[in-house]
Structure formats: C-alpha cells, structure tokens
Amino acid sequence: MDKYIINGGEKLCGSVEIQSAKNTVLPLLAASILTDEPVKIRGVPMINDVESMLHILTEVGCKIQRKKDCALIDSAGAVSHEIPTRLTKELRSSVFMLGPLLSRFHRAKISYPGGCDIGLRPIDLHLSGLKRLGVEIVEKDGYIHCETKKLVGAEILLDFPSVGATENIMLAAVKAEGITVIRNAAKEPEIVDLQRFLNAMGAKVCGAGGGTIAIEGVKRLRGVDFVPIGDRIEAGTYLIAVASCGGEIETRGVPPENIAALLHKLRENGCKIYTKNDKIILTSDGRLRSVDIVETMPFPGFPTDLQAQYTALCATAKGSTLIVENLFETRYRYAAELKRMGADITVRGRTACVRGVEKLHGACVTAGDLRGGAALVLAALKAEGQSSVVELSYIDRGYGEFEEKLKKLGAKIRRVRI
C-alpha cells in the first residue's frame, strides 16, 4: 500500500495536458464488443478503472493490446456473456457491459456492480430501460440475469437523466430492431462522445446533448480508430488546486463549455480565467472569497464529481459557503478528514456548511473514495506543514500520473510505500 507525503503552502504554476475522460473511455471499451472488427481507442489513461474494464473484456474472450496510451480491442473471439463477480465488485462501470452483451449474445449475467461508496446509486433505470427493449430480467442471489430473443426499439422515458442508464440503453439499442427514443436523457459531454463513437462504427444515433436521443438500429457495426474527449473532472481538479494554492495554470484538452459551471464559481471566488478553444488559463492569488451556495446538478449544472474538491477550496475562502449535494447521499465522508486538517464544516444530510478558516494544518488523512481522496490532496497542498494521504487505490481509480502532474506544477508531493 502507498501513501502521499505532501508539504503544503507552495504556489503552483505550469501547464497540464488533460487525460482522456474516464467516464467516456469506460463505456467506449464496453462498446467495443458490439463489433467483431478491431477497435482502437487512443489516449486511454493509465488508471485502475480502465485496467479493470480491460480485465472484464479479457474475461469474456476479447484480445487486448496496450501500446503506450492506446488500447486495441479485438472481440472477434468473445464467447462469454458472464462477468466474474470479482471484477464487477471492483468497478461500478461493469454495468455498461449489459447492453453490449445483450446485443452480442442476447443474454448477460453480472453481479451487482461495486465502485466507490458514495451512496446507493441503484441501477433500476438501467434495468427498466432494457426491459422496454424486450429484455427479460431476473434478479436472484445477488446476480442479474438478462435474456432476450431479440432487442426491439422502444420509447423510453427516464425518471431521472442518469448518465449510466442513458449510455447502457444506447449501447443496447444500436443494433436493436427499429427505432429507440430516449427522453429525459442525460446531456453530459460524455454522452455526446459516445454518440460520436457509435456513429463512427456505423450506428445511427442523433440528439445526444439535447435531452432526447433517437437511435435507429443497424445490423452490423464496424471497427473504429477513436480519440475520446478530455476529462473535464481531471481538468477541474487541477484548476481548483491552483485556484486554492495560488499561481497560474493552463489546462489543455477540455473546452471551457464542458466545465462552465465550475469556471463561473471560480470567477466568483476571485480567479481570473481566460479561455480559447480547448485551453483554459487560470490565475489566482490564493486569497479567495466564498460564494453563497453551490448545488450539484446534472450537466450543465455543477458536477457532483467536483463537489469534494471544491469544498476543499471553500475551506480557506473568506466567508461561508453552503454546499448542497443533490445526486449522492453519502458523498461527504471526506468532510471528517478535512476537519482533522482544521476545516470548519458542518454536515447535515445532503448539505454542508463550510466556514472558511485562515489556514489548514498538516495531518494524516485517509481517502474513502475517488473524488474525496483528490479533495484531501488539494487540501494538503494548501495546508501549512506536512500531510500524509493514505488509501491511494481510490485516487488511482481516476487520476493517471497524479503526483507527477502536480510535481510539474511545483507541488511538493511524493509517493512512498507503506
């Protein structure tokens, strides 16, 4: 097991090339079994969640080649419709395999997916959408058994614009008979990128990003060579780090409209931000003022995956900020660790009141989930003295070369074996 040793108080300055979006790459990898032709995905980040998904593809019979940051998937030999429990417990995104497996084999079997413990995150919307496409589903002994004679297009209205459910239904519907329409679909940039990927394979998908997605089923999909979008959550994490610590950063690879809600708040905090194409330049003196309230919402609202990092910023901003988490009910587990560093945070249910303090101090803290772990690193970079952050396996799930990129910005951070 590893930990970070961080000596805080340094200003950060430099540029960061943003990795491909984790939340795009995972469904793209799952989609690769929709064709028996090779699929190449470029810019694949070296993170644990990607490795887990590649292991899943290997288990169902795909051949995988990794060359630098490219992944080549040959699913011509895929034979299994079952995903081993040990792999689904590691990765919540294993649920994305349901749609492609049903399209390929007309059946699928997985156990309930795992991942970070940030709330219930039920998959009811995934299953109800698949049922509308003609899938019979039996839940028994912790497994989900899915089977269909043929997938048939349907009108599907989601009760909530779930990203995962939208993607899973898209993946199942691309080779279904007839037309599928998803209403109240998620609008996230990752949904648009999945549409772009599927259409490059020969699918007929339109409407992604607008709330209603139409899919005309095709009989066959071809291989593709594809470059995913940049990771807006990674970009936001580094922007927040520099905003909090002070300094200047240029991120490359994420267009500003993909994180407009965060940039709006950072400007309110007192940061100066310049944008052009996929470049974002942020300058901060590190003396931030608070904003009144931040509420997480589906895109284009403030991302829940940046809530913890932004809370760490608010911990030393002048004034008080009310944070409202509208998507996941247990996403404040990191707050107790921030308080060990001197943060003044009161949590009540889905709401956290953050009263800015003059400074944080170093402490030994423990990551309990991916984004909460990143928030603790950001707080340690701002704090006076030395901090250690343990349970880095959570952070490794979503951030590739995290400490290396922070070092290039001037952070005093090192990874050591415990």
Side-chain angles (χ1 to χ4, degrees):
M1 186 169 70
D2 293 351
K3 70 176 179 179
Y4 285 143
I5 301 295
I6 300 168
N7 290 295
E10 301 294 325
K11 286 196 172 185
L12 305 178
C13 185
S15 61
V16 176
E17 191 73 35
I18 300 302
Q19 68 186 22
S20 293
K22 175 180 87 82
N23 292 334
T24 288
V25 170
L26 296 176
L28 298 191
L29 289 172
S32 66
I33 67 168
L34 290 168
T35 177
D36 56 7
E37 295 183 9
V39 169
K40 179 182 282 187
I41 302 175
R42 300 179 183 271
V44 175
M46 300 290 288
I47 56 177
N48 287 354
D49 274 10
V50 165
E51 297 307 313
S52 294
M53 182 62 84
L54 291 174
H55 289 159
I56 288 173
L57 291 173
T58 301
E59 287 287 339
V60 301
C62 299
K63 293 182 179 179
I64 308 293
Q65 293 183 46
R66 287 295 298 264
K67 294 183 178 180
K68 294 184 179 179
D69 63 348
C70 290
L72 183 65
I73 305 101
D74 183 354
S75 65
V79 294
S80 177
H81 68 281
E82 298 186 23
I83 302 174
T85 300
R86 72 180 189 280
L87 295 176
T88 58
K89 293 300 183 185
E90 292 177 4
L91 181 67
R92 177 172 174 78
S93 295
S94 59
V95 73
F96 291 134
M97 293 295 294
L98 279 178
L101 288 173
L102 284 164
S103 180
R104 180 84 178 244
F105 301 112
H106 287 182
R107 54 182 178 164
K109 178 185 176 183
I110 69 169
S111 61
Y112 282 94
C116 287
D117 182 13
I118 57 173
L120 294 175
R121 300 198 289 179
I123 61 171
D124 296 3
L125 294 177
H126 298 245
L127 301 184
S128 62
L130 294 174
K131 286 178 181 177
R132 292 283 296 152
L133 297 177
V135 180
E136 294 182 3
I137 298 175
V138 176
E139 300 175 61
K140 183 180 179 182
D141 299 328
Y143 286 88
I144 304 168
H145 302 260
C146 303
E147 192 166 346
T148 182
K149 292 182 179 179
K150 66 176 180 178
L151 293 165
V152 181
E155 291 258 350
I156 299 171
L157 174 64
L158 295 177
D159 292 335
F160 179 83
S162 161
V163 174
T166 299
E167 291 172 332
N168 223 340
I169 296 166
M170 291 171 68
L171 293 171
V174 286
K175 293 173 72 175
E177 184 179 293
I179 295 175
T180 298
V181 178
I182 309 171
R183 304 192 187 279
N184 197 29
K187 301 177 182 178
E188 273 72 1
E190 293 79 11
I191 302 292
V192 178
D193 216 33
L194 178 58
Q195 173 181 278
R196 189 166 64 94
F197 178 82
L198 292 172
N199 286 345
M201 296 175 75
K204 297 180 179 180
V205 186
C206 64
T212 299
I213 299 174
I215 306 153
E216 182 181 347
V218 299
K219 291 185 177 180
R220 186 176 180 275
L221 294 175
R222 57 180 175 265
V224 66
D225 187 333
F226 192 80
V227 180
I229 60 171
D231 194 318
R232 61 196 173 100
I233 305 304
E234 187 197 29
T237 299
Y238 291 117
L239 289 166
I240 292 170
V242 176
S244 179
C245 293
E248 182 173 300
I249 184 174
E250 177 185 283
T251 64
R252 300 186 300 269
V254 174
E257 58 267 23
N258 286 4
I259 51 171
L262 171 66
L263 298 182
H264 175 71
K265 292 299 180 185
L266 292 176
R267 286 189 175 102
E268 287 190 72
N269 289 128
C271 299
K272 295 179 180 179
I273 299 173
Y274 169 78
T275 64
K276 184 178 180 180
N277 299 325
D278 70 342
K279 292 183 180 179
I280 302 170
I281 299 173
L282 177 145
T283 304
S284 168
D285 62 9
R287 298 188 298 272
L288 303 180
R289 56 181 177 268
S290 65
V291 301
D292 291 336
I293 186 169
V294 175
E295 290 196 61
T296 63
M297 301 289 286
F299 188 84
F302 195 94
T304 182
D305 279 351
L306 287 174
Q307 177 256 98
Q309 301 93 307
Y310 190 77
T311 300
L313 176 150
C314 294
T316 54
K318 185 177 180 180
S320 297
T321 300
L322 193 66
I323 309 287
V324 182
E325 173 55 56
N326 289 308
L327 278 75
F328 298 118
E329 65 276 8
T330 60
R331 197 142 209 179
Y332 291 119
R333 293 177 60 194
Y334 66 86
E337 300 300 294
L338 284 181
K339 291 171 74 171
R340 297 181 64 178
M341 304 176 78
D344 186 352
I345 303 175
T346 302
V347 177
R348 293 286 185 273
R350 292 178 180 262
T351 301
C353 180
V354 187
R355 292 167 288 272
V357 297
E358 186 175 341
K359 60 184 178 180
L360 298 175
H361 55 76
C364 179
V365 292
T366 303
D369 64 84
L370 168 56
R371 306 306 176 184
L376 297 178
V377 172
L378 268 53
L381 293 173
K382 176 72 172 181
E384 291 188 353
Q386 187 176 92
S387 298
S388 61
V389 181
V390 299
E391 296 293 352
L392 300 189
S393 59
Y394 289 106
I395 298 172
D396 292 341
R397 288 188 51 230
Y399 294 94
E401 301 178 319
F402 195 35
E403 61 270 24
E404 287 84 358
K405 290 180 178 181
L406 288 171
K407 283 179 182 178
K408 288 180 180 179
L409 293 173
K412 293 185 176 179
I413 177 174
R414 55 193 173 95
R415 187 177 185 128
V416 299
R417 178 72 64 177
I418 300 176

